[in-house]
Amino acid sequence: MKITMTIFLIMFMTSCARTLERDYKVVDASHQEVPEWVEDLEEYIDDEIDEEVVKKSRFYTYSTVAKNDRDIACKIANANASSAIAAEISTFIEEKFKQELDGDSSDSSKKLNEFVQNDLKKIVKANIVGAQKFREYWEKRKFMVDKGASKNWDGYVCTVLFKIPMSSLNTAFKRTEQELVTKVDAKDALKAQALLQKTLKEYLKEKESN
């Protein structure tokens, strides 16, 4: 019931944003209708993706802000997708580590926190391999001052759906773990490994439940 209500609220807020707060109108698009995966990724996965594929993969979407050129918008979307995936993963790890290390003032905890704050995102990004573009959607928007836009202009927004194998996520976490244990003393390495392995399980479980 809680999940159903959450999905309903997300759909309601998305609907409101699209109908009440638009400062533009769509004048052209790659599809006649907005694809389901853009509006509701979880519903799309349930409806359209084979269960075996879902078990072996995770899906992510990334959208650009409006750009003057369609090709530029879509190139940016494709180029930034891996960074967005890495940002989501590193943010999740950072939040979990903060919860686990809250109140711990030991030297090893300080080193772990420094690693998470300074190095985590770039290490995760460097190890995100195997991500593949699965779908792409663009639309041309005519922004209008009388609808609330800052100026009258035409802009292109591009949204991409990427699929990444579970094996690649496991590899990214494993290599991050290898980097992590070098930041702490040997006696704390096992603790750091256990914490990251626990975080991986929680991350994959949350992605699956979503």
Side-chain angles (χ1 to χ4, degrees):
M1 180 65 178
K2 182 178 179 181
I3 295 175
T4 302
M5 287 300 295
T6 301
I7 293 174
F8 172 79
L9 287 171
I10 292 172
M11 292 176 67
F12 175 78
M13 289 187 290
T14 301
S15 175
C16 288
R18 288 183 174 274
T19 57
L20 299 180
E21 299 178 6
R22 280 185 171 181
D23 56 0
Y24 64 90
K25 68 177 180 179
V26 177
V27 295
D28 194 12
S30 57
H31 298 62
Q32 289 186 342
E33 296 182 358
V34 179
E36 184 180 32
W37 60 267
V38 176
E39 298 277 12
D40 190 332
L41 178 58
E42 285 73 33
E43 189 69 22
Y44 170 78
I45 291 172
D46 288 342
D47 292 344
E48 303 293 338
I49 306 298
D50 184 80
E51 186 175 344
E52 288 302 311
V53 175
V54 174
K55 288 180 180 179
K56 296 178 181 179
S57 309
R58 290 294 179 266
F59 296 84
Y60 300 81
T61 59
Y62 178 83
S63 295
T64 64
V65 297
K67 300 294 180 180
N68 290 318
D69 183 85
R70 186 184 77 192
D71 288 340
I72 289 175
C74 288
K75 284 179 181 178
I76 290 173
N78 284 281
N80 288 354
S82 292
S83 295
I85 295 171
E88 179 185 298
I89 293 173
S90 58
T91 298
F92 187 90
I93 295 173
E94 183 176 359
E95 290 176 351
K96 292 299 178 181
F97 271 44
K98 283 181 179 178
Q99 292 173 15
E100 294 287 341
L101 300 175
D102 184 40
D104 187 344
S105 59
S106 65
D107 288 341
S108 62
S109 291
K110 290 179 181 178
K111 290 179 180 178
L112 284 175
N113 280 320
E114 288 176 3
F115 170 80
V116 167
Q117 292 173 12
N118 301 328
D119 303 320
L120 180 63
K121 184 177 178 179
K122 61 185 178 184
I123 290 173
V124 173
K125 181 182 177 182
N127 290 297
I128 292 292
V129 295
Q132 300 175 334
K133 183 172 72 175
F134 196 64
R135 296 285 185 272
E136 182 178 281
Y137 169 74
W138 60 263
E139 58 186 33
K140 181 180 180 181
R141 299 176 178 179
K142 180 175 286 295
F143 293 89
M144 294 168 282
V145 171
D146 60 4
K147 288 185 175 290
S150 59
K151 63 180 181 178
N152 293 319
W153 71 293
D154 293 341
Y156 292 87
V157 171
C158 190
T159 303
V160 290
L161 171 61
F162 266 65
K163 178 179 74 170
I164 183 168
M166 287 279 289
S167 57
S168 294
L169 288 178
N170 279 298
T171 298
F173 268 82
K174 185 65 179 177
R175 291 177 179 170
T176 302
E177 176 187 317
Q178 291 169 351
E179 292 277 352
L180 178 63
V181 297
T182 66
K183 305 296 179 179
V184 296
D185 296 333
K187 64 179 181 179
D188 295 312
L190 289 177
K191 176 183 176 182
Q193 287 177 303
L195 181 53
L196 193 56
Q197 289 167 7
K198 177 184 176 183
T199 303
L200 169 61
K201 290 179 181 179
E202 291 180 358
Y203 177 75
L204 294 179
K205 183 178 180 180
E206 182 171 292
K207 290 293 291 181
E208 184 175 3
S209 64
N210 287 342

